[in-house]
Amino acid sequence: MTKEKKVNRKDNKGKVLRKGESQRKDGTYMFRFTDECKKRKSIYAKTLAELREKELKIKRDKMDNIRLSVDYTVAQLVELYLSLSQKNLSFNTMESNENAYRNHIKNSWLGYKKIKDTKKSDILLFYTELSEKLKNNSIHSIHRVLSQAFKLALDDQMIRTNPTYGALKNFPADTEEKTILTPQQLNDLILYVKNHPYYYRWYPLIVILSETMIRGGELCGLTWDDVDLKRKTIKIDHQIQYCKIKGKGKHILCICPPKTKNGKRTIPLTTKAYKAFIKQKELQFSLNLYSTTVIDGYENFVFPTRRGNPTYTMALDNMFRNLTNRYNKENSEPIPRLSCHVFRHTGCAIKAKDFFKLGLDPKILQTWMGHSSLTMTLGLYNHITEIDTQNAINELNSMIG
């Protein structure tokens, strides 16, 4: 008995169809295959040529061990990355990443695109569209989220290449000069606050911010247990932030680790800072400002509100904005808008110049600031003002005679 010859299947144009290929009733084509999990999958195309291009890609993915069972969209991939990175990132970074995803990625055309179909040109187009309404620094924040998410996909063999690599080349970071006060402006402001009938209660806080150069969240989280007046040091190992309660859309004050790994540090107090802490103790007694709240086991905060709660950065910045407006109305020489960061930058800029004049090791200043690199300390904070330039010329002229 002879074996019957297998008849090749053909489409309506007479072209022979390969294993797994078929033509549908509407004339389009389908290819069925199994992924690495032994699950049946199908792809579709309008023409046989287009279908076979997709088949080649699938075969190549199989040869390179690319996972065919995963079919995430960009938004789904970012959600996965955010859920996996929560424990490794600071609260501020996590909040920034979630805002970037929620406001710019989740419901965008890129968010709906499959990660396997996303090309570098798609990322560039997305950033170009964003650049019409956002600054480049905001695009950098969005890029940080996308690049890390696609790196996760690459490491997990979901994709062959990371389409975000090199996508920021045409979007350089915005170089905005950090706002600082001159030494004279700082001294005039401190004197103004010290003698003001309302703002006098913030006098120690402003001195401590500018002298210790700690971050706003670190200042708000300071407890008297962190202040050693005998040794004249303060210990920084935590900060206070507004933390979001998942699923409720609310925020509460919570204790978080410092912004960076180098943020945990012990800072020696200058004479001005030491006296400011003494003054804060006196003000707490005279104004009956005592900390009555316990947050994550921390209590006895150095800067409580009238209700006994620890203050927080946003509240301080609001107060500083009002102080700026009041000061500029009552003085002929205006000052830039004040914030916790302005006092930190100002303190570092002044100290950096003092360190240079005295020949001190700038790495000491880096440690006090809690920076991860010396370049950040000197590059971002060692400002040159017109007064500095004039003083340099005067000193050179005096040397020449």
Side-chain angles (χ1 to χ4, degrees):
M1 188 175 176
T2 58
K3 217 175 191 181
E4 289 186 14
K5 188 176 181 180
K6 189 175 180 181
V7 179
N8 291 324
R9 293 178 300 107
K10 297 181 181 180
D11 64 5
N12 57 13
K13 295 179 182 179
K15 293 183 179 180
V16 176
L17 298 175
R18 298 171 183 169
K19 183 180 178 180
E21 296 177 343
S22 62
Q23 188 173 32
R24 308 172 79 196
K25 291 181 179 180
D26 59 2
T28 59
Y29 294 85
M30 178 178 70
F31 175 70
R32 301 197 71 184
F33 64 98
T34 56
D35 61 22
E36 71 278 4
C37 297
K38 305 299 181 183
K39 289 185 178 181
R40 297 278 284 175
K41 287 184 173 291
S42 301
I43 57 171
Y44 305 91
K46 291 182 178 180
T47 66
L48 188 58
E50 181 186 347
L51 184 73
R52 287 179 175 170
E53 283 184 13
K54 292 183 177 182
E55 289 178 45
L56 284 173
K57 185 176 181 302
I58 290 171
K59 289 179 181 178
R60 186 183 171 201
D61 285 346
K62 283 187 173 183
M63 291 177 64
D64 293 341
N65 294 320
I66 300 299
R67 293 167 61 189
L68 299 173
S69 59
V70 178
D71 198 25
Y72 288 141
T73 63
V74 173
Q76 290 171 332
L77 176 66
V78 173
E79 283 185 0
L80 175 64
Y81 161 70
L82 292 176
S83 67
L84 295 175
S85 62
Q86 286 183 353
K87 294 183 179 180
N88 301 321
L89 299 176
S90 68
F91 169 78
N92 285 343
T93 302
M94 196 63 211
E95 189 83 351
S96 173
N97 289 351
E98 288 182 351
N99 287 337
Y101 166 67
R102 184 170 56 251
N103 298 330
H104 303 291
I105 300 172
K106 184 177 181 180
N107 295 317
S108 67
W109 62 265
L110 181 69
Y112 291 113
K113 199 173 184 68
K114 299 290 186 181
I115 62 172
K116 293 183 185 298
D117 298 330
T118 303
K119 300 177 181 178
K120 185 175 181 178
S121 58
D122 296 315
I123 302 296
L124 290 173
L125 177 60
F126 183 61
Y127 290 170
T128 300
E129 291 176 353
L130 289 176
S131 67
E132 295 177 1
K133 55 183 178 180
L134 298 177
K135 291 184 176 181
N136 283 359
N137 282 351
S138 296
I139 294 175
H140 279 236
S141 297
I142 296 166
H143 173 80
R144 181 180 64 231
V145 178
L146 285 173
S147 63
Q148 289 300 313
F150 275 105
K151 182 180 182 299
L152 173 65
L154 185 64
D155 292 343
D156 271 9
Q157 294 181 310
M158 301 179 196
I159 54 177
R160 181 172 283 100
T161 58
N162 188 334
T164 65
Y165 285 164
L168 280 182
K169 185 177 180 181
N170 297 327
F171 305 93
D174 304 310
T175 53
E176 295 182 2
E177 184 80 7
K178 298 282 185 183
T179 301
I180 66 165
L181 304 173
T182 65
Q184 187 61 53
Q185 286 176 323
L186 179 61
N187 291 335
D188 291 344
L189 174 67
I190 288 175
L191 185 62
Y192 171 84
V193 170
K194 185 177 182 180
N195 298 315
H196 196 276
Y198 173 75
Y199 287 108
Y200 75 95
R201 60 173 290 216
W202 302 109
Y203 160 73
L205 183 147
I206 291 175
V207 173
I208 290 167
L209 262 180
S210 57
E211 285 293 313
T212 63
M213 304 164 291
I214 57 179
R215 299 178 177 90
E218 296 169 346
L219 177 98
C220 298
L222 269 183
T223 70
W224 284 110
D225 292 332
D226 300 317
V227 182
D228 189 336
L229 293 177
K230 289 184 178 179
R231 296 183 178 181
K232 295 185 178 180
T233 61
I234 56 172
K235 177 183 66 178
I236 304 296
D237 60 8
H238 64 276
Q239 62 174 327
I240 278 187
Q241 295 289 347
Y242 249 128
C243 302
K244 185 177 181 181
I245 304 176
K246 285 196 170 182
K248 295 186 178 181
K250 295 181 180 179
H251 289 73
I252 60 170
L253 288 175
C254 62
I255 298 296
C256 304
K259 184 178 180 181
T260 65
K261 292 181 180 179
N262 291 346
K264 292 186 177 182
R265 60 205 189 274
T266 298
I267 304 174
L269 298 178
T270 62
T271 301
K272 289 181 180 179
Y274 172 78
K275 290 181 178 179
F277 275 110
I278 298 295
K279 182 65 177 177
Q280 179 63 16
K281 271 189 174 292
E282 294 173 358
L283 281 175
Q284 280 191 322
F285 178 76
S286 62
L287 299 176
N288 198 28
L289 288 174
Y290 292 106
S291 174
T292 58
T293 304
V294 179
I295 298 181
D296 297 337
Y298 288 81
E299 57 185 341
N300 200 18
F301 293 96
V302 176
F303 298 103
T305 65
R306 294 187 184 277
R307 294 183 178 182
N309 301 318
T311 190
Y312 54 97
T313 306
M314 189 182 300
L316 286 181
D317 284 344
N318 288 336
M319 180 274 292
F320 286 140
R321 183 180 64 248
N322 295 332
L323 172 58
T324 306
N325 295 335
R326 178 68 65 87
Y327 181 89
N328 287 341
K329 283 182 181 179
E330 299 178 8
N331 292 271
S332 57
E333 295 292 332
I335 58 174
R337 180 171 170 174
L338 301 173
S339 68
C340 293
H341 258 58
V342 166
F343 288 111
R344 174 172 162 86
H345 299 159
T346 297
C348 185
I350 294 173
K351 292 274 190 304
K353 294 181 178 69
D354 292 340
F355 267 58
F356 179 77
K357 290 177 182 177
L358 297 172
L360 300 176
D361 187 350
K363 287 190 71 66
I364 299 173
L365 184 59
Q366 175 197 344
T367 302
W368 294 355
M369 294 292 294
H371 283 154
S372 57
S373 69
L374 183 60
T375 302
M376 182 180 294
T377 305
L378 298 181
L380 292 180
Y381 296 93
N382 199 4
H383 294 257
I384 302 298
T385 65
E386 291 183 11
I387 296 175
D388 296 322
T389 302
Q390 188 59 51
N391 289 340
I393 289 295
N394 292 341
E395 288 199 24
L396 286 172
N397 289 334
S398 65
M399 290 174 64
I400 296 173

